Amino acid sequence: MEEKSARRGFLLSKGWLQAVIIVMLLGFTVLGILAYRTYEDGAPVPVKVLDPQGQLLFDGDDITAGQQVFLHNGLMEYGSVFGHGAYLGPDYTADYLRRSSNIAIAENGGPPVDEDGMELADDPGPGPASDIARQKTINQFRENQFDEESNELTFSQTQTDAFNKLIPYYTRFFSADNTENGLRKEAITDPEDLRNLTAFFAWSAWASAAERPGKDYSYTNNWPPEPRVDNSPTANALVWSAISLVALLGGIGLLFGAFGRYRDLGWHGREQTVVSFRDPSTVALTPGQKSTAWFFFVMAALFVIQCFVGAAVQHYRAELTSFFGFDLAAILPYNLLRTWHVQLSLFWVATSFVAAGIFLAPMIARREPRGQGKLGYFLLVALAVVVFGTLIGSYLGIHGVLEDAATNWFGLQGFEYLDLARLWQVLLVVGLIVWVYMLFRVMRSRLRREHPGNMPWLFFLAACAIPAFYAVGLLARTAEDFTITEFWRFWVVHLWVEDFLEIFTTVMVAYMFVLLGVVREKVALMVILLDIGLYSVGGVVGTMHHLYFSGTPSEHMALGAFFSAIEVVPLTFLTVEAWSFLQLGANQESKSTSDFPHRWAVMFLVAVGFWNFLGAGVFGFLVNLPIVSYFEIGTALTANHAHAAMMGVYGMLAIGLSLFCLRYMIPSKKWPEKWAKVSFWGTNIGLAWMCFATLLPLGIMQLYKSVDDGYFEARQLDFLTDKTTEMLEWMRLPGDVVFIVFGAIPVLYMCFLGVKYTIARRGEDGDGRGEADAELFTVISGTSMEDEPPEISGRPEPTPGT
Ligand code: HEM
Ligand SMILES: [Fe+2]
């Protein structure tokens, strides 16, 4: 009994917690089984590839070495393999498959090809000879000559000849003495590297056409679409597309039903209560909280740099061969800029999350141990080392300054989104663990007095999940089979953004409202648990929607399509919640005597809800059905979704969090309300413009081209540089200018003010005590905080759960 009174009980009924734990356990059990199946049944990498005479053509080590040439030269940030990577260059699986099948058709008596493996005449026309040649080619490519006993693969004569003819082609392409393709001059010149690279492409093309043992489709579920080898959508792709639609519809129905039945679900303000908000600039800040001013400044600087790098990346698409007359690719080739662009986006968003965690923890715990400020600065320096190490490493790696092993450790690993070299990856994991430790030392005593299902624990556990799931990325190693690296890579890429970051976001936002007194803790806790459950039902197994065509067995596609469709259910619901959000602030403002201080932070949270629905939910679902993804993967519709979701959700959130914290650092009289307003409209209008003026129409055109003409054609530079496409690319310009000038730069200015006024407040009373002001509001009338946490000292303990 005594024990119980020392610890606050769980605020809700136990069923909530049990449901969430069961959902998580089930999800990860299925994902674990799928991991096992990936190792067992993924596209095999043969030990040897032989020609029909039994002579060695290349071996498994050559394929692995070629994969490393691909990754370490940043080619996954230029083109793609299995549809994964960047979109300026071709998809090398589709590219190799097209050229090699053309060569085979010609050799089998069909229309002739040039030395690049492309047909000479546009339309050779049907004829009995070419029909026979085509059928022969189909048989040669689809027949699976991989011996599971010996792990040896035998190529047909035409496949062998195609390999030998394509080495010179890829050699010409990658060692070209110009920057016309957006790569640096003479990007790869070593003959062995070029041969291995071709072997890697040849392996991926083989896996995309050879039929799985006992099946009538290939290891990649017949991806890419290619009539020359009879690759067309499988029955699975169609059936699971249809079933996933029903999963979405059913899920939305169930959720609406539940909300009709249980009116208490979702966000509710404290309706009977009127609170008065404390003037934020009178709130004493701890040293740890003050250190976050610098984090936010670094965040904003990285954001601005990312925008400029992005503008240069975009320029390559609008005007490939020159940068307003200047040969940019000689110094900053496309793939270098793209890897910087992608990595910076992760870095600045993560910086804001880390800072917001450090800022909120003492408000939750109501104290801060000594040394937190110093740890904060240490972490900031460590983060800067990782960021600049990554940027410099990628530069050296892509410019070919480093040798192989050194590239992997200090240059770049080259996996899109996990591009950074292993050293920086390990350091980043360590940095995130230090961050969790910082949160722990602040929260320790508070955690001791709380049930593990209550908000303080959920805040801490959600934070722990971030380094834990980033560390999974270490399982993706450049020398591992490509199918396996892709599997682990998406555990990070997907589970971060579509599950654990959504959860951490919900917890932080919920806490902000609780601390401000506009939402009761019980309501917030219920929303958090509901969201964890809803995000995880679809989000965990939904990871597989990235792996429809990566060499994994077909159950990955079936389960991925079904569960990721359910991901859209909570996102749809956010459209309802956005209004509740607006009211949470506005209601109190109208009743209270003091102004609601976080108007623009809350507006950014509303934007997060909006883009979660549009960017993640709608644009994500647009590319989610296997049958759509089959034609679409790696085109502008992916970029459309990626920008609207990544910037729309996590970018807006990062800015919203920074505004919330800055409001306490900058004196109220100096608060740059207008700048906040401008940055809100600048970022939102700029992003909407980017999507609606360019990415969405271009994506639809490209999808049409892919279905109508072919996937290979839709990924060609000819298409990307034709007049209409080029015009659409230029259409982006005004939106991008609005985004940078009115969106990003004001954020930088506001964060600069944060640093300026924090320095001015150095040495004030809060510093020595290390105690945070947790009282951000006072109750004027109505019910008090009946479920508020126990105080550090003095106050009597409230009864749990009343
Ligand atoms: C805030 C949440 C989300 C973020 C930040 C996000 C971000 C991204 C990014 C950056 C990519 C590009 C990955 C790559 O190029 O390999 C991507 C791809 C994808 N996303 Fe999302 N996403 C989110 C939510 C969703 C949702 C809810 C769905 C659908 C239910 C979805 C479906 C997809 C699919 C199918 C792809 C693969 C497209 C392709 O490779 O062509 N995403 N997402
Ligand atoms: Fe995903």
Side-chain angles (χ1 to χ4, degrees):
M1 196 56 212
E2 260 190 37
E3 265 229 298
K4 267 194 182 156
S5 64
R7 209 175 73 163
R8 195 162 62 134
F10 184 50
L11 290 183
L12 303 173
S13 79
K14 289 270 188 296
W16 279 98
L17 213 52
Q18 287 158 354
V20 165
I21 293 172
I22 288 173
V23 165
M24 281 284 183
L25 280 180
L26 280 179
F28 279 99
T29 308
V30 174
L31 221 49
I33 295 170
L34 292 174
Y36 172 74
R37 294 280 298 133
T38 304
Y39 280 89
E40 284 292 292
D41 242 4
V45 175
V47 176
K48 286 180 183 164
V49 178
L50 310 170
D51 68 11
Q53 292 74 42
Q55 298 292 318
L56 182 71
L57 200 57
F58 54 88
D59 63 18
D61 291 342
D62 296 339
I63 300 175
T64 307
Q67 175 177 315
Q68 288 178 318
V69 172
F70 178 72
L71 295 168
H72 288 160
N73 284 285
L75 295 181
M76 198 171 182
E77 291 288 3
Y78 173 68
S80 56
V81 163
F82 291 158
H84 288 154
Y87 336 114
L88 182 71
D91 178 83
Y92 286 102
T93 308
D95 193 74
Y96 187 97
L97 189 63
R98 166 63 60 91
R99 293 173 198 277
S100 61
S101 56
N102 277 346
I103 293 171
I105 292 171
E107 223 173 276
N108 287 326
V113 289
D114 64 15
E115 55 174 7
D116 294 348
M118 295 310 290
E119 286 155 336
L120 288 171
D122 268 356
D123 182 16
S130 80
D131 284 353
I132 294 170
R134 284 177 193 282
Q135 192 53 51
K136 264 188 171 169
T137 306
I138 289 173
N139 298 344
Q140 287 159 356
F141 276 71
R142 296 203 76 80
E143 189 187 346
N144 191 345
Q145 301 239 49
F146 176 67
D147 181 349
E148 287 187 337
E149 293 291 306
S150 64
N151 273 330
E152 289 178 359
L153 167 67
T154 308
F155 266 4
S156 66
Q157 190 58 48
T158 52
Q159 283 172 314
T160 306
D161 295 341
F163 175 71
N164 287 325
K165 280 186 187 155
L166 287 175
I167 297 171
Y169 166 69
Y170 287 114
T171 300
R172 283 195 297 283
F173 188 92
F174 289 109
S175 59
D177 186 23
N178 58 53
T179 56
E180 272 171 16
N181 294 313
L183 291 173
R184 75 182 170 99
K185 257 186 206 172
E186 301 174 344
I188 307 170
T189 48
D190 181 283
E192 198 180 321
D193 280 355
L194 287 157
R195 191 171 194 282
N196 292 339
L197 184 61
T198 311
F200 172 56
F201 296 161
W203 167 78
S204 82
W206 165 76
S208 74
E211 289 181 357
R212 269 181 181 278
K215 307 281 187 220
D216 61 357
Y217 51 79
S218 71
Y219 289 104
T220 60
N221 288 310
N222 281 356
W223 191 89
E226 179 56 271
R228 287 159 184 75
V229 297
D230 209 17
N231 258 3
S232 59
T234 60
N236 275 318
L238 281 162
V239 168
W240 289 102
S241 294
I243 293 180
S244 78
L245 282 172
V246 173
L248 172 62
L249 205 60
I252 291 181
L254 280 178
L255 195 70
F256 272 109
F259 273 83
R261 167 72 179 79
Y262 304 100
R263 302 267 161 173
D264 286 347
L265 290 179
W267 290 108
H268 292 284
R270 294 155 51 100
E271 271 147 26
Q272 311 306 322
T273 313
V274 178
V275 298
S276 171
F277 301 106
R278 178 137 169 231
D279 176 355
S281 53
T282 63
V283 171
L285 297 180
T286 63
Q289 288 178 316
K290 287 185 182 166
S291 74
T292 64
W294 287 97
F295 278 82
F296 288 121
F297 184 67
V298 169
M299 167 207 86
L302 295 179
F303 178 33
V304 171
I305 298 171
Q306 195 223 344
C307 289
F308 282 111
V309 172
V313 170
Q314 171 54 21
H315 197 90
Y316 272 103
R317 294 186 65 112
E319 200 186 8
L320 178 61
T321 46
S322 85
F323 186 81
F324 302 107
F326 170 74
D327 185 9
L328 185 65
I331 307 163
L332 302 174
Y334 174 84
N335 51 346
L336 177 60
L337 288 172
R338 190 172 189 279
T339 178
W340 281 357
H341 179 64
V342 165
Q343 299 196 74
L344 281 167
S345 73
L346 301 178
F347 284 141
W348 73 264
V349 167
T351 307
S352 172
F353 268 65
V354 164
I358 297 174
F359 192 92
L360 280 185
M363 285 184 165
I364 297 167
R366 299 167 182 228
R367 61 181 279 278
E368 186 181 275
R370 277 181 188 283
Q372 189 78 346
K374 288 203 181 77
L375 268 175
Y377 290 113
F378 168 76
L379 189 62
L380 185 67
V381 171
L383 201 73
V385 169
V386 169
V387 171
F388 290 103
T390 299
L391 299 183
I392 295 168
S394 328
Y395 181 91
L396 298 178
I398 287 179
H399 276 282
V401 177
L402 302 172
E403 292 297 320
D404 260 358
T407 309
N408 206 49
W409 278 96
F410 309 107
L412 77 165
Q413 291 181 88
F415 297 118
E416 192 197 20
Y417 298 102
L418 294 181
D419 309 57
L420 72 185
R422 232 168 156 70
L423 173 67
W424 313 124
Q425 194 181 16
V426 172
L427 276 183
L428 192 53
V429 173
V430 174
L432 289 172
I433 293 173
V434 170
W435 170 65
V436 167
Y437 167 71
M438 284 177 68
L439 300 186
F440 177 71
R441 61 197 291 273
V442 178
M443 306 271 301
R444 184 163 31 196
S445 61
R446 181 69 202 273
L447 293 177
R448 216 175 288 136
R449 285 173 291 123
E450 289 282 354
H451 185 279
N454 282 343
M455 278 178 75
W457 271 100
L458 294 182
F459 175 78
F460 179 66
L461 291 175
C464 288
I466 293 178
F469 281 85
Y470 192 75
V472 175
L474 290 167
L475 291 172
R477 289 177 304 115
T478 56
E480 186 69 86
D481 293 3
F482 200 60
T483 299
I484 291 170
T485 65
E486 287 301 88
F487 182 85
W488 293 120
R489 184 168 75 90
F490 278 111
W491 268 55
V492 183
V493 176
H494 172 99
L495 284 178
W496 248 41
V497 298
E498 284 168 67
D499 203 30
F500 291 108
L501 284 192
E502 294 275 17
I503 291 174
F504 191 60
T505 303
T506 311
V507 180
M508 281 210 287
V509 170
Y511 244 130
M512 279 156 50
F513 283 125
V514 169
L515 291 170
L516 289 169
V518 291
V519 171
R520 288 174 50 198
E521 197 181 344
K522 241 177 166 171
V523 172
L525 180 59
M526 186 194 62
V527 170
I528 293 173
L529 289 173
L530 183 70
D531 278 4
I532 298 181
L534 286 176
Y535 284 129
S536 304
V537 166
V540 175
V541 181
T543 312
M544 297 301 116
H545 65 178
H546 299 279
L547 300 169
Y548 296 153
F549 316 116
S550 306
T552 41
S554 58
E555 63 258 31
H556 289 59
M557 178 200 278
L559 293 170
F562 185 86
F563 283 95
S564 58
I566 300 177
E567 278 180 51
V568 182
V569 172
L571 303 179
T572 310
F573 185 67
L574 281 174
T575 51
V576 182
E577 302 219 318
W579 300 110
S580 321
F581 256 40
L582 273 179
Q583 281 164 353
L584 288 180
N587 264 355
Q588 288 296 342
E589 196 169 39
S590 61
K591 289 188 282 186
S592 152
T593 45
S594 54
D595 284 349
F596 180 61
H598 295 292
R599 184 185 160 89
W600 291 103
V602 169
M603 286 300 280
F604 271 102
L605 297 183
V606 173
V608 170
F610 171 77
W611 289 105
N612 239 325
F613 171 67
L614 181 69
V618 176
F619 291 162
F621 197 71
L622 179 58
V623 297
N624 198 63
L625 298 187
I627 188 65
V628 178
S629 185
Y630 184 76
F631 294 101
E632 174 284 334
I633 188 166
T635 65
L637 278 186
T638 305
N640 177 56
H641 158 60
H643 281 86
M646 193 64 205
M647 177 60 216
V649 178
Y650 294 113
M652 298 297 172
L653 181 71
I655 301 174
L657 291 174
S658 70
L659 291 192
F660 177 84
C661 302
L662 286 172
R663 191 69 183 79
Y664 293 94
M665 299 172 193
I666 301 174
S668 289
K669 278 200 207 103
K670 308 278 183 187
W671 175 250
E673 183 81 359
K674 284 211 179 81
W675 288 81
K677 184 175 176 178
V678 168
S679 74
F680 174 81
W681 290 111
T683 46
N684 280 287
I685 293 174
L687 182 61
W689 190 305
M690 183 190 305
C691 292
F692 288 107
T694 300
L695 294 175
L696 183 62
L698 181 64
I700 293 172
M701 271 174 43
Q702 204 173 0
L703 176 60
Y704 190 90
K705 173 95 177 164
S706 168
V707 178
D708 196 38
D709 256 10
Y711 182 79
F712 172 87
E713 281 76 6
R715 288 284 306 266
Q716 287 303 291
L717 273 182
D718 298 354
F719 170 77
L720 295 176
T721 52
D722 82 6
K723 279 272 162 296
T724 326
T725 316
E726 208 175 288
M727 189 198 71
L728 276 175
E729 299 284 7
W730 280 111
M731 291 277 289
R732 258 184 79 154
L733 193 70
D736 288 355
V737 170
V738 167
F739 189 87
I740 297 177
V741 176
F742 298 104
I745 294 193
V747 174
L748 183 62
Y749 175 68
M750 289 187 288
C751 292
F752 161 75
L753 290 183
V755 169
K756 179 176 155 188
Y757 290 109
T758 313
I759 292 176
R761 284 174 69 174
R762 193 181 283 163
E764 88 186 359
D765 47 337
D767 281 6
R769 287 186 292 129
E771 270 177 32
D773 260 326
E775 302 305 339
L776 304 182
F777 66 94
T778 44
V779 176
I780 297 180
S781 67
T783 48
S784 63
M785 303 298 277
E786 68 276 47
D787 51 27
E788 262 305 274
E791 264 299 314
I792 285 286
S793 58
R795 287 202 205 163
E797 300 265 323
T799 326
T802 50

